[in-house]
Amino acid sequence: MELAEVLNKTHNEQRQGEAFGVTLASNPDSKKFYIESYGCAMNFSDSEVVASILNSAGYGATTEFEEADLILVNTCSIREKAELTIRKRLTEFRKAKRLKPGMLIGILGCMAERLKENLLAEEKLVDLVVGPDAYRALPELIKEAEGGQKGVNVLLSRDETYGDIAPVRLNTNGISAYVSITRGCNNMCSFCVVPFTRGRERSRDSQSIIAEVQTLVTDGYKEVTLLGQNVDSYYWVDEHTGITTTFAQLLEQVALVSADLWVRFSTSHPKDITDEVLYTMARHENICKNVHLPVQSGSTRMLQLMNRTYTREWYMAKIDRIRTILPDCGITTDLITGFCTETEEDHQETISLMEYSNYDMSYMYFYSERPGTLAARRYTDDIPLEVKKRRLQEVIDQQGILSHRSNQKDIGKIFKVLIESSSRKSEADWQGRTSHYKITVFPKTDATQKPGDYVWVKIHHYTRATLLGNIVDAPF
């Protein structure tokens, strides 16, 4: 699932579980829930929907799982390592349950959908198993589990978008927020489990999306990221007027909500991102100039086995088109090494395509076979692990060269930066991002500055992953 790779902050590791804690219920005697999320941005967005549903059911949140009456783990099945991490975490929660009779443990999301009753019957790790389209049923399932039954609902839906549920922003900085616009996926990439765990693609109605963005702006947010497994295939038809909304049109509508709001989106499938989207990005200064365009492999033979529906040459032409319409656009990608039957020649084609595309950053992984996928049914996972890891390291090394080149070009340039927080390394510095999604660190120079402010920063140095600069006057 390409969405997993774009918004999380590490290059080669799945984002670790993140616990959310906010005060959702005013009654100190209310039951408490604790939630950890793993994997993609969509899972973190879904956790905010779950929090809203639980809030309506009278639950408050806690950041300490030992205090919780209900522990939920929102899971990912995209790679084996993620599932192993989650199983280990569930075992730890089970120990806490022994010390607090009545505590319930539930598993949500893709892993719940993929493994279903196995988590209940065989491993007895959880009391609730709830798929990504069944969160509305959580209050009823909790009651069943409290009565001694196992609460299970993993039915997939053709129309559920949670568009009418106002998410509770969890662990938020009050600046950036996710807004889900599609769910599910119609692409059947052979390596990917998402179509089987999140179902068919469906688009959320545009009116509810715009309303959510307007609320965020009113609440002081400065950046939204439109989320979907494949945002470019967003397509909504108003049943009352018959008016259709494409992704390019939706993107423009969101940008027009406020000129002071930065707009991002993720993820784009190369076959679906259109010139209309690129021209829309060019027209609006507040649509961030970054495109995440997962390629997965630079070999046409591999792309065919992966069922990516494009060739090496077609992808290169798409890169050319982005560079033509948006000359200063940042481009990032996803890469998989060691897919079934991959040869050294295939691998070298990936290296050369990286050079051609000149990526600013990549999310890089070696292939991990997922049960139930088309690849697991059709192909043999025949590349030795040591070869996968060696090729991955070569891809990482190549990206290091490209990132160095990309950052070097920024020396002396002035960028608009949205302040996100103090730097992780020093309270004397701010940390933010450019429109191109590059992390930027710079000294605090004005006591009135705060997270959520836009500043202009002139770059004077860089590390592999970070630009370093100083605040300057606006260049106009």
Side-chain angles (χ1 to χ4, degrees):
M1 182 172 86
E2 291 150 356
L3 184 62
E5 277 66 75
V6 62
L7 291 169
N8 300 328
K9 311 307 183 194
T10 56
H11 286 255
N12 298 306
E13 297 291 337
Q14 190 107 12
R15 182 171 176 175
Q16 295 302 302
E18 185 166 307
F20 293 130
V22 291
T23 302
L24 300 177
S26 58
N27 183 358
D29 297 323
S30 66
K31 290 188 175 181
K32 296 179 180 179
F33 77 90
Y34 171 91
I35 187 166
E36 279 188 4
S37 297
Y38 291 77
C40 72
M42 185 65 79
N43 276 5
F44 287 77
S45 178
D46 278 0
S47 290
E48 296 180 337
V49 170
V50 169
S52 181
I53 291 169
L54 291 176
N55 185 26
S56 298
Y59 278 78
T62 177
T63 57
E64 305 297 330
F65 70 82
E66 295 89 350
E67 298 178 355
D69 301 284
L70 172 66
I71 296 176
L72 298 173
V73 185
N74 200 343
T75 63
C76 179
S77 281
I78 196 68
R79 281 179 293 278
E80 183 179 12
K81 182 176 180 180
E83 289 195 359
L84 293 175
T85 299
I86 291 164
R87 289 179 188 275
K88 180 179 178 181
R89 194 65 171 145
L90 288 173
T91 300
E92 294 171 358
F93 292 148
R94 201 70 186 176
K95 294 177 182 177
K97 180 180 173 71
R98 297 192 191 104
L99 300 176
K100 187 174 182 179
M103 176 188 285
L104 298 177
I105 301 173
I107 187 167
L108 312 176
C110 294
M111 190 172 164
E113 175 62 36
R114 192 178 78 77
L115 297 179
K116 299 181 175 66
E117 288 85 355
N118 289 348
L119 289 162
L120 292 167
E122 296 178 13
E123 301 174 49
K124 299 180 180 179
L125 289 175
V126 296
D127 307 290
L128 298 160
V129 178
V130 187
D133 289 346
Y135 298 144
R136 292 181 193 271
L138 260 171
E140 291 76 20
L141 295 172
I142 290 169
K143 290 179 181 178
E144 291 179 10
E146 287 174 337
Q149 301 180 17
K150 298 296 184 181
V152 182
N153 188 335
V154 292
L155 295 176
L156 292 175
S157 170
R158 289 184 174 272
D159 53 20
E160 179 62 85
T161 66
Y162 301 110
D164 60 325
I165 295 178
V168 171
R169 304 297 168 180
L170 297 169
N171 202 35
T172 179
N173 59 8
I175 298 164
S176 302
Y178 297 140
V179 177
S180 174
I181 68 169
T182 69
R183 297 183 70 84
C185 186
N186 288 344
N187 298 312
M188 297 298 292
C189 301
S190 62
F191 57 81
C192 186
V193 73
V194 169
F196 307 102
T197 59
R198 285 190 171 267
R200 304 293 287 178
E201 183 178 279
R202 58 273 191 198
S203 297
R204 178 179 167 188
D205 69 282
S206 59
Q207 298 96 323
S208 70
I209 295 169
I210 299 303
E212 183 175 339
V213 173
Q214 290 171 333
T215 298
L216 288 167
V217 170
T218 300
D219 290 342
Y221 284 79
K222 293 296 187 71
E223 180 182 71
V224 296
T225 300
L226 306 181
L227 290 182
Q229 265 70 41
N230 182 17
V231 290
D232 295 284
S233 60
Y234 176 89
Y235 187 80
W236 172 257
V237 181
D238 190 306
E239 61 182 10
H240 301 295
T241 65
I243 296 175
T244 62
T245 304
T246 65
F247 178 63
Q249 292 167 336
L250 177 69
L251 189 60
E252 184 160 64
Q253 290 172 19
V254 172
L256 291 172
V257 169
S258 172
D260 200 36
L261 177 73
W262 269 9
V263 182
R264 301 187 186 275
F265 59 90
S266 179
T267 290
S268 296
H269 192 292
K271 71 179 177 61
D272 291 316
I273 190 168
T274 64
D275 281 5
E276 185 184 7
V277 170
L278 299 176
Y279 282 122
T280 300
M281 293 175 67
R283 281 197 306 271
H284 295 275
E285 185 273 338
N286 64 326
I287 300 178
C288 293
K289 304 306 182 280
N290 175 255
V291 173
H292 188 70
L293 201 69
V295 66
Q296 308 301 358
S297 174
S299 162
T300 294
R301 188 179 76 86
M302 287 289 97
L303 292 171
Q304 290 174 340
L305 290 177
M306 291 176 172
N307 196 32
R308 292 293 287 174
T309 70
Y310 53 82
T311 64
R312 170 189 175 90
E313 292 73 23
W314 188 96
Y315 183 92
M316 292 166 70
K318 182 63 70 173
I319 292 290
D320 293 342
R321 196 64 181 150
I322 295 172
R323 301 289 187 202
T324 298
I325 298 173
L326 295 165
D328 195 35
C329 187
I331 301 178
T332 56
T333 198
D334 298 341
L335 293 160
I336 298 173
T337 66
F339 188 67
C340 309
T341 77
E342 183 187 63
T343 65
E344 285 300 320
E345 182 180 359
D346 294 323
H347 172 59
Q348 290 304 318
E349 286 193 287
T350 294
I351 298 292
S352 66
L353 182 65
M354 293 175 69
E355 176 71 25
Y356 183 88
S357 302
N358 200 22
Y359 298 119
D360 295 281
M361 187 269 288
S362 299
Y363 295 95
M364 301 158 283
Y365 308 89
F366 62 77
Y367 175 60
S368 172
E369 183 179 86
R370 310 311 296 132
T373 60
L374 297 177
R377 297 200 298 267
R378 293 177 181 175
Y379 312 132
T380 300
D381 183 9
D382 58 353
I383 307 302
L385 180 60
E386 62 270 19
V387 174
K388 291 180 180 180
K389 289 184 175 180
R390 189 259 300 167
R391 291 176 182 170
L392 174 60
Q393 188 58 54
E394 291 175 3
V395 165
I396 292 171
D397 292 343
Q398 175 65 19
Q399 184 56 56
I401 295 171
L402 299 178
S403 296
H404 169 83
R405 182 188 304 166
S406 173
N407 291 341
Q408 191 174 49
K409 289 192 308 180
D410 291 336
I411 295 293
K413 293 183 179 179
I414 298 174
F415 294 102
K416 188 177 183 179
V417 176
L418 175 60
I419 299 176
E420 296 177 346
S421 65
S422 294
S423 168
R424 294 180 181 179
K425 293 185 177 181
S426 173
E427 282 293 324
D429 295 330
W430 288 122
Q431 176 176 306
R433 289 180 189 271
T434 69
S435 172
H436 308 86
Y437 203 61
K438 289 190 176 183
I439 298 173
T440 308
V441 172
F442 44 95
K444 298 177 180 179
T445 57
D446 186 338
T448 65
Q449 293 164 354
K450 61 186 183 303
D453 287 346
Y454 294 106
V455 293
W456 293 92
V457 177
K458 185 173 183 179
I459 305 305
H460 61 72
H461 194 51
Y462 63 90
T463 66
R464 174 168 174 165
T466 305
L467 299 178
L468 305 174
N470 294 101
I471 295 176
V472 297
D473 293 333
F476 47 80

